[in-house]
Amino acid sequence: MKIIREKRKTLSIRIWKWWELLVKVPKKVSQKIILDFLEKHKTWISEKQNLFEENSQKFEIWEKFLFFWEEFDLCELEAKNDKNVLIFDSKKFFTNTKNPEILRELFIKFYKKEAKKYISKKISEICELLNLSFNKLKITSASSRWGSCNSKKNISFSFRLILAPKKSIDYVIVHELAHLSEMNHSKAFWDLVQNYSDQIGIWSYKENKKWLMQNHLKTNF
């Protein structure tokens, strides 16, 4: 749990980085008030913690793993050498290791590679269609956000996006591209996001925002 004291009048609580509890409180609020606030919301906290446990990936053979929001079995592959591998044949994943930590790293490497391949191609297509340009593209291991765009027009995306449906990935791309013009979340920004979404034919931003919020725990690592 992380507690942040800042200039505000109320207390708030949310899941931060998709699993850690983040509590924002007024600067001079007492410890007792914070504890009472947490006690009042203990049921909500417990539900979120249980949901995280239910959706946390086990990284074991015969488990199912997401890829573009489809579930694929992980099967055992007979080892031909000492090198640990993860293979995907479009129907199943195969590996020759049973070590959870090694398997986790293999999946992260696979997901990062696939995320870079898909997002690089898709953002180029969208930019061409919308007549937009950016500086650099980066695939990160970020767990607190799906994507980001800075004032230098550098855009980053979490590799975890590759677990989501393609339409949702495309929405996040559009979201960050809109920040090239609007570095905020004003009405003008959301109008631009909707305009871009309409042009490339994806769900409305409200539907995408809701879907991503409801399903983010399923991309836990």
Side-chain angles (χ1 to χ4, degrees), residues 50-94:
N50 289 337
L51 187 60
F52 172 76
E53 289 297 326
E54 290 173 5
N55 288 288
S56 292
Q57 188 61 62
K58 295 179 181 179
F59 291 98
E60 296 175 353
I61 289 178
W62 312 125
E63 285 293 313
K64 291 183 180 294
F65 289 79
L66 287 172
F67 185 42
F68 289 124
W69 204 238
E70 288 188 56
E71 288 189 334
F72 297 93
D73 290 324
L74 174 63
C75 303
E76 189 170 2
L77 178 69
E78 185 177 347
K80 294 183 179 180
N81 52 51
D82 295 331
K83 184 179 179 180
N84 295 308
V85 298
L86 177 68
I87 298 171
F88 180 65
D89 69 354
S90 78
K91 295 181 180 179
K92 295 179 180 180
F93 286 105
F94 296 88

mmCIF file of all heavy atoms in Angstrom, residues 50-94:
data_model
loop_
_atom_site.group_PDB
_atom_site.id
_atom_site.type_symbol
_atom_site.label_atom_id
_atom_site.label_comp_id
_atom_site.label_asym_id
_atom_site.label_seq_id
_atom_site.Cartn_x
_atom_site.Cartn_y
_atom_site.Cartn_z
ATOM 1 N N ASN A 50 -8.798 -10.282 -4.005
ATOM 2 C CA ASN A 50 -9.214 -11.623 -4.437
ATOM 3 C C ASN A 50 -9.261 -11.715 -5.959
ATOM 4 O O ASN A 50 -8.886 -12.735 -6.544
ATOM 5 C CB ASN A 50 -10.589 -11.958 -3.866
ATOM 6 C CG ASN A 50 -10.551 -12.193 -2.371
ATOM 7 O OD1 ASN A 50 -9.506 -12.519 -1.801
ATOM 8 N ND2 ASN A 50 -11.684 -12.008 -1.713
ATOM 9 N N LEU A 51 -9.730 -10.634 -6.585
ATOM 10 C CA LEU A 51 -9.803 -10.607 -8.042
ATOM 11 C C LEU A 51 -8.415 -10.701 -8.649
ATOM 12 O O LEU A 51 -8.195 -11.385 -9.644
ATOM 13 C CB LEU A 51 -10.488 -9.316 -8.505
ATOM 14 C CG LEU A 51 -10.792 -9.190 -10.001
ATOM 15 C CD1 LEU A 51 -11.723 -10.310 -10.454
ATOM 16 C CD2 LEU A 51 -11.411 -7.841 -10.299
ATOM 17 N N PHE A 52 -7.459 -10.022 -8.022
ATOM 18 C CA PHE A 52 -6.081 -10.089 -8.496
ATOM 19 C C PHE A 52 -5.543 -11.509 -8.398
ATOM 20 O O PHE A 52 -4.914 -12.024 -9.311
ATOM 21 C CB PHE A 52 -5.195 -9.143 -7.683
ATOM 22 C CG PHE A 52 -3.726 -9.305 -7.991
ATOM 23 C CD1 PHE A 52 -3.190 -8.786 -9.148
ATOM 24 C CD2 PHE A 52 -2.896 -10.002 -7.123
ATOM 25 C CE1 PHE A 52 -1.847 -8.938 -9.443
ATOM 26 C CE2 PHE A 52 -1.550 -10.167 -7.414
ATOM 27 C CZ PHE A 52 -1.028 -9.630 -8.574
ATOM 28 N N GLU A 53 -5.800 -12.167 -7.260
ATOM 29 C CA GLU A 53 -5.316 -13.532 -7.059
ATOM 30 C C GLU A 53 -5.917 -14.478 -8.088
ATOM 31 O O GLU A 53 -5.253 -15.360 -8.616
ATOM 32 C CB GLU A 53 -5.655 -13.999 -5.642
ATOM 33 C CG GLU A 53 -4.855 -13.319 -4.551
ATOM 34 C CD GLU A 53 -3.371 -13.600 -4.668
ATOM 35 O OE1 GLU A 53 -2.998 -14.719 -5.093
ATOM 36 O OE2 GLU A 53 -2.570 -12.706 -4.368
ATOM 37 N N GLU A 54 -7.196 -14.291 -8.367
ATOM 38 C CA GLU A 54 -7.888 -15.162 -9.314
ATOM 39 C C GLU A 54 -7.317 -15.029 -10.722
ATOM 40 O O GLU A 54 -7.279 -15.984 -11.492
ATOM 41 C CB GLU A 54 -9.376 -14.820 -9.341
ATOM 42 C CG GLU A 54 -10.116 -15.219 -8.074
ATOM 43 C CD GLU A 54 -11.547 -14.719 -8.077
ATOM 44 O OE1 GLU A 54 -11.978 -14.153 -9.106
ATOM 45 O OE2 GLU A 54 -12.234 -14.884 -7.048
ATOM 46 N N ASN A 55 -6.892 -13.821 -11.067
ATOM 47 C CA ASN A 55 -6.443 -13.555 -12.430
ATOM 48 C C ASN A 55 -4.929 -13.572 -12.605
ATOM 49 O O ASN A 55 -4.434 -13.383 -13.709
ATOM 50 C CB ASN A 55 -6.982 -12.200 -12.900
ATOM 51 C CG ASN A 55 -8.473 -12.234 -13.159
ATOM 52 O OD1 ASN A 55 -8.926 -12.826 -14.122
ATOM 53 N ND2 ASN A 55 -9.236 -11.628 -12.275
ATOM 54 N N SER A 56 -4.198 -13.764 -11.520
ATOM 55 C CA SER A 56 -2.741 -13.781 -11.626
ATOM 56 C C SER A 56 -2.278 -15.017 -12.389
ATOM 57 O O SER A 56 -2.741 -16.128 -12.136
ATOM 58 C CB SER A 56 -2.113 -13.772 -10.228
ATOM 59 O OG SER A 56 -2.350 -12.551 -9.578
ATOM 60 N N GLN A 57 -1.368 -14.824 -13.319
ATOM 61 C CA GLN A 57 -0.869 -15.934 -14.118
ATOM 62 C C GLN A 57 0.046 -16.835 -13.291
ATOM 63 O O GLN A 57 0.903 -16.362 -12.565
ATOM 64 C CB GLN A 57 -0.096 -15.387 -15.320
ATOM 65 C CG GLN A 57 0.301 -16.443 -16.302
ATOM 66 C CD GLN A 57 -0.894 -17.164 -16.887
ATOM 67 O OE1 GLN A 57 -1.712 -16.555 -17.534
ATOM 68 N NE2 GLN A 57 -0.981 -18.454 -16.661
ATOM 69 N N LYS A 58 -0.153 -18.145 -13.399
ATOM 70 C CA LYS A 58 0.628 -19.100 -12.614
ATOM 71 C C LYS A 58 1.952 -19.469 -13.281
ATOM 72 O O LYS A 58 2.874 -19.912 -12.621
ATOM 73 C CB LYS A 58 -0.199 -20.364 -12.370
ATOM 74 C CG LYS A 58 -1.437 -20.123 -11.521
ATOM 75 C CD LYS A 58 -2.222 -21.413 -11.330
ATOM 76 C CE LYS A 58 -3.466 -21.174 -10.497
ATOM 77 N NZ LYS A 58 -4.254 -22.434 -10.340
ATOM 78 N N PHE A 59 2.031 -19.350 -14.591
ATOM 79 C CA PHE A 59 3.228 -19.719 -15.352
ATOM 80 C C PHE A 59 3.617 -21.172 -15.110
ATOM 81 O O PHE A 59 4.672 -21.493 -14.588
ATOM 82 C CB PHE A 59 4.392 -18.777 -15.025
ATOM 83 C CG PHE A 59 4.171 -17.391 -15.552
ATOM 84 C CD1 PHE A 59 3.685 -16.404 -14.734
ATOM 85 C CD2 PHE A 59 4.414 -17.104 -16.894
ATOM 86 C CE1 PHE A 59 3.452 -15.123 -15.232
ATOM 87 C CE2 PHE A 59 4.185 -15.830 -17.400
ATOM 88 C CZ PHE A 59 3.692 -14.841 -16.557
ATOM 89 N N GLU A 60 2.702 -22.034 -15.485
ATOM 90 C CA GLU A 60 2.924 -23.468 -15.361
ATOM 91 C C GLU A 60 2.475 -24.151 -16.647
ATOM 92 O O GLU A 60 1.576 -23.681 -17.348
ATOM 93 C CB GLU A 60 2.126 -24.050 -14.187
ATOM 94 C CG GLU A 60 2.549 -23.515 -12.829
ATOM 95 C CD GLU A 60 1.652 -24.035 -11.714
ATOM 96 O OE1 GLU A 60 0.641 -24.688 -12.037
ATOM 97 O OE2 GLU A 60 1.958 -23.774 -10.539
ATOM 98 N N ILE A 61 3.098 -25.273 -16.948
ATOM 99 C CA ILE A 61 2.676 -26.082 -18.098
ATOM 100 C C ILE A 61 1.243 -26.548 -17.880
ATOM 101 O O ILE A 61 0.850 -26.870 -16.768
ATOM 102 C CB ILE A 61 3.631 -27.280 -18.288
ATOM 103 C CG1 ILE A 61 4.982 -26.772 -18.786
ATOM 104 C CG2 ILE A 61 3.065 -28.286 -19.274
ATOM 105 C CD1 ILE A 61 6.016 -27.853 -18.963
ATOM 106 N N TRP A 62 0.484 -26.558 -18.951
ATOM 107 C CA TRP A 62 -0.929 -26.907 -19.007
ATOM 108 C C TRP A 62 -1.841 -25.767 -18.554
ATOM 109 O O TRP A 62 -3.051 -25.921 -18.514
ATOM 110 C CB TRP A 62 -1.256 -28.191 -18.210
ATOM 111 C CG TRP A 62 -0.321 -29.314 -18.503
ATOM 112 C CD1 TRP A 62 0.409 -30.019 -17.597
ATOM 113 C CD2 TRP A 62 0.026 -29.869 -19.779
ATOM 114 N NE1 TRP A 62 1.193 -30.964 -18.221
ATOM 115 C CE2 TRP A 62 0.982 -30.896 -19.567
ATOM 116 C CE3 TRP A 62 -0.353 -29.588 -21.085
ATOM 117 C CZ2 TRP A 62 1.526 -31.636 -20.609
ATOM 118 C CZ3 TRP A 62 0.206 -30.319 -22.128
ATOM 119 C CH2 TRP A 62 1.121 -31.323 -21.873
ATOM 120 N N GLU A 63 -1.244 -24.609 -18.254
ATOM 121 C CA GLU A 63 -2.048 -23.417 -18.014
ATOM 122 C C GLU A 63 -2.429 -22.814 -19.370
ATOM 123 O O GLU A 63 -1.881 -23.181 -20.413
ATOM 124 C CB GLU A 63 -1.265 -22.380 -17.200
ATOM 125 C CG GLU A 63 -1.116 -22.712 -15.725
ATOM 126 C CD GLU A 63 -2.441 -22.677 -14.993
ATOM 127 O OE1 GLU A 63 -3.210 -21.702 -15.162
ATOM 128 O OE2 GLU A 63 -2.721 -23.631 -14.246
ATOM 129 N N LYS A 64 -3.357 -21.847 -19.348
ATOM 130 C CA LYS A 64 -3.735 -21.143 -20.570
ATOM 131 C C LYS A 64 -3.168 -19.730 -20.531
ATOM 132 O O LYS A 64 -3.148 -19.098 -19.479
ATOM 133 C CB LYS A 64 -5.262 -21.093 -20.714
ATOM 134 C CG LYS A 64 -5.887 -22.455 -21.004
ATOM 135 C CD LYS A 64 -7.380 -22.326 -21.212
ATOM 136 C CE LYS A 64 -8.024 -23.678 -21.503
ATOM 137 N NZ LYS A 64 -7.571 -24.250 -22.789
ATOM 138 N N PHE A 65 -2.710 -19.257 -21.686
ATOM 139 C CA PHE A 65 -2.095 -17.942 -21.768
ATOM 140 C C PHE A 65 -2.766 -17.099 -22.844
ATOM 141 O O PHE A 65 -3.099 -17.601 -23.919
ATOM 142 C CB PHE A 65 -0.600 -18.069 -22.056
ATOM 143 C CG PHE A 65 0.179 -18.600 -20.892
ATOM 144 C CD1 PHE A 65 0.186 -19.970 -20.622
ATOM 145 C CD2 PHE A 65 0.855 -17.744 -20.043
ATOM 146 C CE1 PHE A 65 0.887 -20.467 -19.532
ATOM 147 C CE2 PHE A 65 1.561 -18.235 -18.952
ATOM 148 C CZ PHE A 65 1.576 -19.594 -18.698
ATOM 149 N N LEU A 66 -2.946 -15.823 -22.546
ATOM 150 C CA LEU A 66 -3.615 -14.912 -23.465
ATOM 151 C C LEU A 66 -2.670 -14.397 -24.549
ATOM 152 O O LEU A 66 -1.484 -14.176 -24.311
ATOM 153 C CB LEU A 66 -4.180 -13.713 -22.700
ATOM 154 C CG LEU A 66 -5.417 -13.959 -21.841
ATOM 155 C CD1 LEU A 66 -5.717 -12.719 -21.002
ATOM 156 C CD2 LEU A 66 -6.623 -14.320 -22.703
ATOM 157 N N PHE A 67 -3.250 -14.181 -25.710
ATOM 158 C CA PHE A 67 -2.537 -13.551 -26.820
ATOM 159 C C PHE A 67 -3.614 -12.954 -27.717
ATOM 160 O O PHE A 67 -4.434 -13.691 -28.274
ATOM 161 C CB PHE A 67 -1.690 -14.576 -27.569
ATOM 162 C CG PHE A 67 -0.827 -13.996 -28.655
ATOM 163 C CD1 PHE A 67 -0.130 -12.811 -28.463
ATOM 164 C CD2 PHE A 67 -0.701 -14.641 -29.874
ATOM 165 C CE1 PHE A 67 0.667 -12.279 -29.461
ATOM 166 C CE2 PHE A 67 0.104 -14.121 -30.886
ATOM 167 C CZ PHE A 67 0.791 -12.939 -30.678
ATOM 168 N N PHE A 68 -3.652 -11.613 -27.822
ATOM 169 C CA PHE A 68 -4.732 -10.923 -28.518
ATOM 170 C C PHE A 68 -6.103 -11.336 -27.966
ATOM 171 O O PHE A 68 -7.064 -11.496 -28.700
ATOM 172 C CB PHE A 68 -4.677 -11.168 -30.025
ATOM 173 C CG PHE A 68 -3.538 -10.467 -30.710
ATOM 174 C CD1 PHE A 68 -2.619 -11.190 -31.460
ATOM 175 C CD2 PHE A 68 -3.388 -9.092 -30.610
ATOM 176 C CE1 PHE A 68 -1.558 -10.549 -32.103
ATOM 177 C CE2 PHE A 68 -2.340 -8.450 -31.260
ATOM 178 C CZ PHE A 68 -1.422 -9.167 -32.002
ATOM 179 N N TRP A 69 -6.155 -11.548 -26.664
ATOM 180 C CA TRP A 69 -7.372 -11.871 -25.915
ATOM 181 C C TRP A 69 -7.925 -13.268 -26.218
ATOM 182 O O TRP A 69 -9.033 -13.628 -25.825
ATOM 183 C CB TRP A 69 -8.461 -10.825 -26.121
ATOM 184 C CG TRP A 69 -9.451 -10.787 -25.006
ATOM 185 C CD1 TRP A 69 -10.810 -10.976 -25.088
ATOM 186 C CD2 TRP A 69 -9.186 -10.570 -23.613
ATOM 187 N NE1 TRP A 69 -11.403 -10.887 -23.851
ATOM 188 C CE2 TRP A 69 -10.405 -10.633 -22.917
ATOM 189 C CE3 TRP A 69 -8.021 -10.338 -22.875
ATOM 190 C CZ2 TRP A 69 -10.508 -10.458 -21.544
ATOM 191 C CZ3 TRP A 69 -8.114 -10.161 -21.504
ATOM 192 C CH2 TRP A 69 -9.350 -10.227 -20.860
ATOM 193 N N GLU A 70 -7.161 -14.095 -26.879
ATOM 194 C CA GLU A 70 -7.521 -15.498 -27.047
ATOM 195 C C GLU A 70 -6.686 -16.317 -26.077
ATOM 196 O O GLU A 70 -5.535 -15.989 -25.803
ATOM 197 C CB GLU A 70 -7.258 -15.974 -28.472
ATOM 198 C CG GLU A 70 -8.211 -15.429 -29.505
ATOM 199 C CD GLU A 70 -8.003 -16.099 -30.860
ATOM 200 O OE1 GLU A 70 -8.079 -17.341 -30.921
ATOM 201 O OE2 GLU A 70 -7.737 -15.377 -31.837
ATOM 202 N N GLU A 71 -7.259 -17.401 -25.572
ATOM 203 C CA GLU A 71 -6.537 -18.270 -24.649
ATOM 204 C C GLU A 71 -5.916 -19.448 -25.393
ATOM 205 O O GLU A 71 -6.578 -20.105 -26.204
ATOM 206 C CB GLU A 71 -7.479 -18.802 -23.562
ATOM 207 C CG GLU A 71 -7.884 -17.750 -22.550
ATOM 208 C CD GLU A 71 -8.643 -18.368 -21.380
ATOM 209 O OE1 GLU A 71 -9.272 -19.439 -21.576
ATOM 210 O OE2 GLU A 71 -8.595 -17.797 -20.287
ATOM 211 N N PHE A 72 -4.644 -19.707 -25.103
ATOM 212 C CA PHE A 72 -3.929 -20.813 -25.739
ATOM 213 C C PHE A 72 -3.269 -21.675 -24.676
ATOM 214 O O PHE A 72 -2.692 -21.163 -23.713
ATOM 215 C CB PHE A 72 -2.859 -20.276 -26.695
ATOM 216 C CG PHE A 72 -3.406 -19.482 -27.841
ATOM 217 C CD1 PHE A 72 -3.522 -18.104 -27.752
ATOM 218 C CD2 PHE A 72 -3.820 -20.117 -29.010
ATOM 219 C CE1 PHE A 72 -4.027 -17.364 -28.807
ATOM 220 C CE2 PHE A 72 -4.327 -19.386 -30.074
ATOM 221 C CZ PHE A 72 -4.432 -18.008 -29.976
ATOM 222 N N ASP A 73 -3.343 -22.982 -24.855
ATOM 223 C CA ASP A 73 -2.724 -23.912 -23.913
ATOM 224 C C ASP A 73 -1.208 -23.837 -24.005
ATOM 225 O O ASP A 73 -0.642 -23.592 -25.074
ATOM 226 C CB ASP A 73 -3.148 -25.351 -24.233
ATOM 227 C CG ASP A 73 -4.609 -25.614 -23.928
ATOM 228 O OD1 ASP A 73 -5.107 -25.058 -22.937
ATOM 229 O OD2 ASP A 73 -5.238 -26.355 -24.696
ATOM 230 N N LEU A 74 -0.565 -24.063 -22.859
ATOM 231 C CA LEU A 74 0.889 -24.199 -22.831
ATOM 232 C C LEU A 74 1.204 -25.677 -22.655
ATOM 233 O O LEU A 74 0.841 -26.284 -21.639
ATOM 234 C CB LEU A 74 1.494 -23.397 -21.676
ATOM 235 C CG LEU A 74 3.000 -23.585 -21.481
ATOM 236 C CD1 LEU A 74 3.771 -23.090 -22.705
ATOM 237 C CD2 LEU A 74 3.481 -22.873 -20.224
ATOM 238 N N CYS A 75 1.862 -26.262 -23.630
ATOM 239 C CA CYS A 75 2.161 -27.700 -23.619
ATOM 240 C C CYS A 75 3.651 -27.962 -23.440
ATOM 241 O O CYS A 75 4.492 -27.106 -23.726
ATOM 242 C CB CYS A 75 1.673 -28.336 -24.922
ATOM 243 S SG CYS A 75 -0.085 -28.082 -25.235
ATOM 244 N N GLU A 76 3.942 -29.164 -23.001
ATOM 245 C CA GLU A 76 5.329 -29.537 -22.758
ATOM 246 C C GLU A 76 6.013 -29.919 -24.067
ATOM 247 O O GLU A 76 5.455 -30.627 -24.897
ATOM 248 C CB GLU A 76 5.393 -30.707 -21.782
ATOM 249 C CG GLU A 76 6.792 -31.033 -21.312
ATOM 250 C CD GLU A 76 6.798 -32.037 -20.179
ATOM 251 O OE1 GLU A 76 5.706 -32.506 -19.788
ATOM 252 O OE2 GLU A 76 7.895 -32.356 -19.696
ATOM 253 N N LEU A 77 7.230 -29.426 -24.221
ATOM 254 C CA LEU A 77 8.030 -29.716 -25.407
ATOM 255 C C LEU A 77 9.254 -30.516 -24.984
ATOM 256 O O LEU A 77 9.950 -30.153 -24.042
ATOM 257 C CB LEU A 77 8.484 -28.405 -26.067
ATOM 258 C CG LEU A 77 9.370 -28.507 -27.303
ATOM 259 C CD1 LEU A 77 8.573 -29.081 -28.477
ATOM 260 C CD2 LEU A 77 9.922 -27.130 -27.664
ATOM 261 N N GLU A 78 9.492 -31.611 -25.659
ATOM 262 C CA GLU A 78 10.643 -32.436 -25.311
ATOM 263 C C GLU A 78 11.939 -31.672 -25.584
ATOM 264 O O GLU A 78 12.161 -31.161 -26.682
ATOM 265 C CB GLU A 78 10.642 -33.724 -26.142
ATOM 266 C CG GLU A 78 11.748 -34.678 -25.757
ATOM 267 C CD GLU A 78 11.691 -35.977 -26.537
ATOM 268 O OE1 GLU A 78 10.648 -36.225 -27.187
ATOM 269 O OE2 GLU A 78 12.678 -36.721 -26.502
ATOM 270 N N ALA A 79 12.765 -31.552 -24.562
ATOM 271 C CA ALA A 79 14.009 -30.776 -24.677
ATOM 272 C C ALA A 79 15.001 -31.466 -25.600
ATOM 273 O O ALA A 79 15.303 -32.646 -25.441
ATOM 274 C CB ALA A 79 14.621 -30.576 -23.295
ATOM 275 N N LYS A 80 15.523 -30.722 -26.572
ATOM 276 C CA LYS A 80 16.530 -31.258 -27.489
ATOM 277 C C LYS A 80 17.917 -30.734 -27.141
ATOM 278 O O LYS A 80 18.912 -31.239 -27.628
ATOM 279 C CB LYS A 80 16.165 -30.875 -28.922
ATOM 280 C CG LYS A 80 14.874 -31.530 -29.402
ATOM 281 C CD LYS A 80 14.593 -31.183 -30.856
ATOM 282 C CE LYS A 80 13.311 -31.855 -31.334
ATOM 283 N NZ LYS A 80 13.019 -31.530 -32.754
ATOM 284 N N ASN A 81 17.944 -29.688 -26.304
ATOM 285 C CA ASN A 81 19.218 -29.145 -25.834
ATOM 286 C C ASN A 81 18.976 -28.440 -24.498
ATOM 287 O O ASN A 81 17.871 -28.506 -23.952
ATOM 288 C CB ASN A 81 19.823 -28.183 -26.872
ATOM 289 C CG ASN A 81 18.819 -27.126 -27.303
ATOM 290 O OD1 ASN A 81 18.211 -26.463 -26.469
ATOM 291 N ND2 ASN A 81 18.654 -26.980 -28.606
ATOM 292 N N ASP A 82 19.984 -27.760 -24.001
ATOM 293 C CA ASP A 82 19.862 -27.114 -22.697
ATOM 294 C C ASP A 82 19.236 -25.728 -22.767
ATOM 295 O O ASP A 82 19.005 -25.103 -21.738
ATOM 296 C CB ASP A 82 21.253 -26.996 -22.045
ATOM 297 C CG ASP A 82 21.844 -28.364 -21.723
ATOM 298 O OD1 ASP A 82 21.046 -29.285 -21.483
ATOM 299 O OD2 ASP A 82 23.079 -28.486 -21.727
ATOM 300 N N LYS A 83 18.976 -25.244 -23.959
ATOM 301 C CA LYS A 83 18.418 -23.908 -24.106
ATOM 302 C C LYS A 83 16.918 -23.909 -23.829
ATOM 303 O O LYS A 83 16.164 -24.720 -24.365
ATOM 304 C CB LYS A 83 18.676 -23.390 -25.522
ATOM 305 C CG LYS A 83 18.206 -21.960 -25.742
ATOM 306 C CD LYS A 83 18.511 -21.505 -27.153
ATOM 307 C CE LYS A 83 18.021 -20.073 -27.375
ATOM 308 N NZ LYS A 83 18.307 -19.611 -28.755
ATOM 309 N N ASN A 84 16.486 -22.980 -22.963
ATOM 310 C CA ASN A 84 15.057 -22.859 -22.650
ATOM 311 C C ASN A 84 14.353 -22.117 -23.782
ATOM 312 O O ASN A 84 14.815 -21.060 -24.229
ATOM 313 C CB ASN A 84 14.866 -22.093 -21.345
ATOM 314 C CG ASN A 84 15.430 -22.835 -20.158
ATOM 315 O OD1 ASN A 84 15.120 -24.004 -19.941
ATOM 316 N ND2 ASN A 84 16.277 -22.176 -19.383
ATOM 317 N N VAL A 85 13.249 -22.673 -24.247
ATOM 318 C CA VAL A 85 12.540 -22.066 -25.376
ATOM 319 C C VAL A 85 11.048 -21.968 -25.114
ATOM 320 O O VAL A 85 10.480 -22.719 -24.303
ATOM 321 C CB VAL A 85 12.767 -22.868 -26.682
ATOM 322 C CG1 VAL A 85 14.224 -22.871 -27.067
ATOM 323 C CG2 VAL A 85 12.224 -24.287 -26.535
ATOM 324 N N LEU A 86 10.427 -21.034 -25.813
ATOM 325 C CA LEU A 86 8.971 -20.900 -25.836
ATOM 326 C C LEU A 86 8.584 -20.749 -27.292
ATOM 327 O O LEU A 86 9.071 -19.859 -27.990
ATOM 328 C CB LEU A 86 8.520 -19.670 -25.044
ATOM 329 C CG LEU A 86 7.006 -19.405 -25.075
ATOM 330 C CD1 LEU A 86 6.253 -20.497 -24.306
ATOM 331 C CD2 LEU A 86 6.692 -18.036 -24.491
ATOM 332 N N ILE A 87 7.723 -21.649 -27.768
ATOM 333 C CA ILE A 87 7.327 -21.657 -29.173
ATOM 334 C C ILE A 87 5.815 -21.494 -29.274
ATOM 335 O O ILE A 87 5.063 -22.090 -28.496
ATOM 336 C CB ILE A 87 7.751 -22.975 -29.844
ATOM 337 C CG1 ILE A 87 9.273 -23.122 -29.803
ATOM 338 C CG2 ILE A 87 7.245 -23.029 -31.290
ATOM 339 C CD1 ILE A 87 9.758 -24.485 -30.247
ATOM 340 N N PHE A 88 5.377 -20.695 -30.229
ATOM 341 C CA PHE A 88 3.947 -20.518 -30.479
ATOM 342 C C PHE A 88 3.672 -20.873 -31.933
ATOM 343 O O PHE A 88 4.294 -20.315 -32.838
ATOM 344 C CB PHE A 88 3.530 -19.074 -30.202
ATOM 345 C CG PHE A 88 2.066 -18.811 -30.440
ATOM 346 C CD1 PHE A 88 1.105 -19.436 -29.662
ATOM 347 C CD2 PHE A 88 1.656 -17.944 -31.447
ATOM 348 C CE1 PHE A 88 -0.251 -19.203 -29.876
ATOM 349 C CE2 PHE A 88 0.309 -17.704 -31.665
ATOM 350 C CZ PHE A 88 -0.647 -18.335 -30.873
ATOM 351 N N ASP A 89 2.736 -21.808 -32.159
ATOM 352 C CA ASP A 89 2.467 -22.252 -33.530
ATOM 353 C C ASP A 89 1.109 -21.778 -34.054
ATOM 354 O O ASP A 89 0.579 -22.341 -35.002
ATOM 355 C CB ASP A 89 2.548 -23.784 -33.610
ATOM 356 C CG ASP A 89 1.415 -24.476 -32.875
ATOM 357 O OD1 ASP A 89 0.615 -23.785 -32.199
ATOM 358 O OD2 ASP A 89 1.317 -25.715 -32.975
ATOM 359 N N SER A 90 0.583 -20.742 -33.414
ATOM 360 C CA SER A 90 -0.719 -20.129 -33.733
ATOM 361 C C SER A 90 -1.903 -20.876 -33.122
ATOM 362 O O SER A 90 -3.039 -20.387 -33.158
ATOM 363 C CB SER A 90 -0.942 -19.991 -35.249
ATOM 364 O OG SER A 90 -1.322 -21.206 -35.840
ATOM 365 N N LYS A 91 -1.636 -22.057 -32.543
ATOM 366 C CA LYS A 91 -2.697 -22.825 -31.883
ATOM 367 C C LYS A 91 -2.378 -23.105 -30.413
ATOM 368 O O LYS A 91 -3.268 -23.162 -29.569
ATOM 369 C CB LYS A 91 -2.929 -24.143 -32.615
ATOM 370 C CG LYS A 91 -3.456 -23.974 -34.033
ATOM 371 C CD LYS A 91 -3.675 -25.327 -34.692
ATOM 372 C CE LYS A 91 -4.206 -25.152 -36.105
ATOM 373 N NZ LYS A 91 -4.410 -26.457 -36.784
ATOM 374 N N LYS A 92 -1.089 -23.294 -30.124
ATOM 375 C CA LYS A 92 -0.655 -23.602 -28.761
ATOM 376 C C LYS A 92 0.736 -23.024 -28.510
ATOM 377 O O LYS A 92 1.499 -22.763 -29.433
ATOM 378 C CB LYS A 92 -0.610 -25.121 -28.529
ATOM 379 C CG LYS A 92 -1.947 -25.816 -28.588
ATOM 380 C CD LYS A 92 -1.780 -27.323 -28.359
ATOM 381 C CE LYS A 92 -3.122 -28.030 -28.415
ATOM 382 N NZ LYS A 92 -2.977 -29.505 -28.193
ATOM 383 N N PHE A 93 1.029 -22.865 -27.202
ATOM 384 C CA PHE A 93 2.383 -22.530 -26.785
ATOM 385 C C PHE A 93 3.076 -23.832 -26.380
ATOM 386 O O PHE A 93 2.442 -24.745 -25.840
ATOM 387 C CB PHE A 93 2.376 -21.590 -25.573
ATOM 388 C CG PHE A 93 1.996 -20.179 -25.894
ATOM 389 C CD1 PHE A 93 0.742 -19.688 -25.567
ATOM 390 C CD2 PHE A 93 2.909 -19.321 -26.512
ATOM 391 C CE1 PHE A 93 0.391 -18.380 -25.848
ATOM 392 C CE2 PHE A 93 2.573 -18.008 -26.801
ATOM 393 C CZ PHE A 93 1.306 -17.536 -26.473
ATOM 394 N N PHE A 94 4.388 -23.896 -26.624
ATOM 395 C CA PHE A 94 5.177 -25.063 -26.221
ATOM 396 C C PHE A 94 6.447 -24.582 -25.520
ATOM 397 O O PHE A 94 7.057 -23.599 -25.945
ATOM 398 C CB PHE A 94 5.567 -25.905 -27.443
ATOM 399 C CG PHE A 94 4.407 -26.510 -28.174
ATOM 400 C CD1 PHE A 94 3.757 -25.807 -29.176
ATOM 401 C CD2 PHE A 94 3.961 -27.779 -27.836
ATOM 402 C CE1 PHE A 94 2.686 -26.365 -29.853
ATOM 403 C CE2 PHE A 94 2.892 -28.355 -28.509
ATOM 404 C CZ PHE A 94 2.246 -27.647 -29.516
#
